[in-house]
Amino acid sequence: MGEVEQGIGADELQLATRNHGMPLEALRYDLTPAGLHYVLIHYDVPDAQPAWRLEVGGAVRSPLLLSLEDLRSRPRTTIPVTLECAGNGRALLEPRPISQPWLLEAVGTAEWTGTSLAGVLEEAGPTGGAVEVLFTGADRGIEGGEEQDYARSLPLAEALRPEVLLAYEMNGAPLPPQHGFPLRLVVPGWYGMAHVKWLRTLTVLTEPFEGYQQARGYRVRTEPDEPGEPVTRVLPRSLMIPPGIPDFMTRIRYVESGRVVLHGRAWSGLGAVTKVEVSWDGGWGWHEATLEAAVGAFAWRGWRFEWDAPQGEFELLCRATDESGAVQPLHPRWNVGGYRNNAVQRVRVVAR
Ligand SMILES: Nc1nc2c(c(=O)[nH]1)N[C@H]1C(S)=C(S)[C@@H](COP(=O)(O)O)O[C@H]1N2
Ligand SMILES: [Mo]
C-alpha cells in the first residue's frame, strides 16, 4: 500500500480510528465474526431507547407502530450477505478524496436475521402514487453544512424484493450497538449506505427523496457541480488473504519460494462471480483460480490458487468477473466522492 499519498490529516485520522475495517486475514471465515466485520458510522452510535418503536407511515392506508417483539413474532428469515462500503478503495485514488480513508478492508459477510420488509409494507398498504420508501435512522449529525438524521430511500420495487430485511440479529445474536441495534435494513446486493442502521421510521413517499445522503452524497461525479449518477449495486471485487508474514510497518509480505497457496474471496452485487484470476507480472499474464461454492446468493465465494513462487519480488494481483460480464479494472476510475473503486488488489510479496 506504499502508493497511498502521504499526509493523512487529523480529520481523516479521526474517521479512520472510529471506523475500522476487516483485517484481510479474516477473509478466511465464511461468516465474519461480528467484531472483525467492518464498521462505518457517519455520526455517533445513538443511545438505544427503551421505548423504541418502528414507525411505518407516509403514503400508506394503515400506519403501523411496531415493537421489537412485534417484529420478532413476524415470519423470520436468515440470509448471509456480503456488505461493502461504497468508499472501499477510496484512499487508493489519486488525488485522495478526503473522507473515511479506506484501503480495501471495508467489507464483511454476516448472517442477518429479521423479517421481510415487503411483509411489513404490504400490511401498511402503500397508496397509489407511492414511488419510494424512506428509511430514517436515530443518528443525527451535520454533513455538507446540512443538519440531518441519517436517511436513505429505495425505489418501491427494490424495497419489495423478498430478500430485503428488517434485521434484528447478526450472526445469531442481537445486533451489536455499532451495527444498528435494535433494527437495521439489509439490502442484499447494494453498497453499505443503503443498509440503514438504528432504523426509526419507514416513510412511503410519492416523490423521490432529495435528502443529503441521496442527492448529494453517494453520487459518482467527475466534477463537483454535476448531479452525478447514484451509487447502487456493488461492483465485482476479489481480495486475497495476504500470504506469508508481514513486515510491521510496511506490511510487505515475506513467503518461502515454491508452492504458495493463495486464498481469497470474491463477490458482486450484479450477479454471481464466474471467474477469479491471479497475476504476478503486473497484469500481463492471468491464471484462473479454483472457485468454491458461494456462501449464499448474496454472499462472497472463496477462491484458491497454487502459486509456484520463484525467488524475487512480486506484486500479486487478483481480479473477479461476474455473470453480468463486469470485470475489475487494473486501474481506478477517479471520482469526487471516491466511490465504487473496484480496481484490482495489489499485494507486494518477497519470495525468499
Ligand atoms: N443510520 C445509519 N445507517 C448507516 C450508516 C450511518 O452512518 N447511519 N452508515 C452506512 C454506511 S456508509 C455503511 S458502509 C454501512 C456499514 O454497516 P456496518 O457498520 O454494519 O458494517 O452502514 C450504513 N448505514
Ligand atoms: Mo459506506
Side-chain angles (χ1 to χ4, degrees), residues 148-225:
Q148 58 192 281
D149 295 326
Y150 186 90
R152 288 269 316 175
S153 70
L154 281 177
L156 192 59
E158 286 291 331
L160 291 173
R161 279 164 52 210
E163 61 273 9
V164 176
L165 286 190
L166 295 171
Y168 45 75
E169 285 178 17
M170 177 186 196
N171 293 347
L175 295 183
Q178 69 274 27
H179 293 292
F181 182 85
L183 190 74
R184 81 175 304 169
L185 187 66
V186 172
V187 189
W190 283 52
Y191 277 114
M193 74 285 156
H195 304 232
V196 178
K197 301 192 274 192
W198 311 293
L199 257 187
R200 216 164 35 82
T201 59
L202 307 186
T203 315
V204 176
L205 303 179
T206 53
E207 296 291 335
F209 177 57
E210 292 291 338
Y212 182 91
Q213 304 298 340
Q214 206 83 25
R216 292 182 59 197
Y218 301 107
R219 297 235 156 210
V220 180
R221 302 181 165 96
T222 43
E223 298 292 337
D225 296 333

Side-chain angles (χ1 to χ4, degrees), residues 55-66:
E55 278 182 53
V56 185
V60 295
R61 282 187 293 277
S62 330
L64 306 171
L65 197 57
L66 301 170

Side-chain angles (χ1 to χ4, degrees), residues 38-42 84-88 90 100 102 106 150 191-194 218 339:
Y38 88 97
V39 170
L40 193 298
I41 299 168
H42 283 235
E84 182 180 16
C85 180
N88 204 12
R90 174 182 289 129
Q100 167 66 28
W102 293 123
Y150 186 90
Y191 277 114
M193 74 285 156
Y218 301 107
Y339 301 120

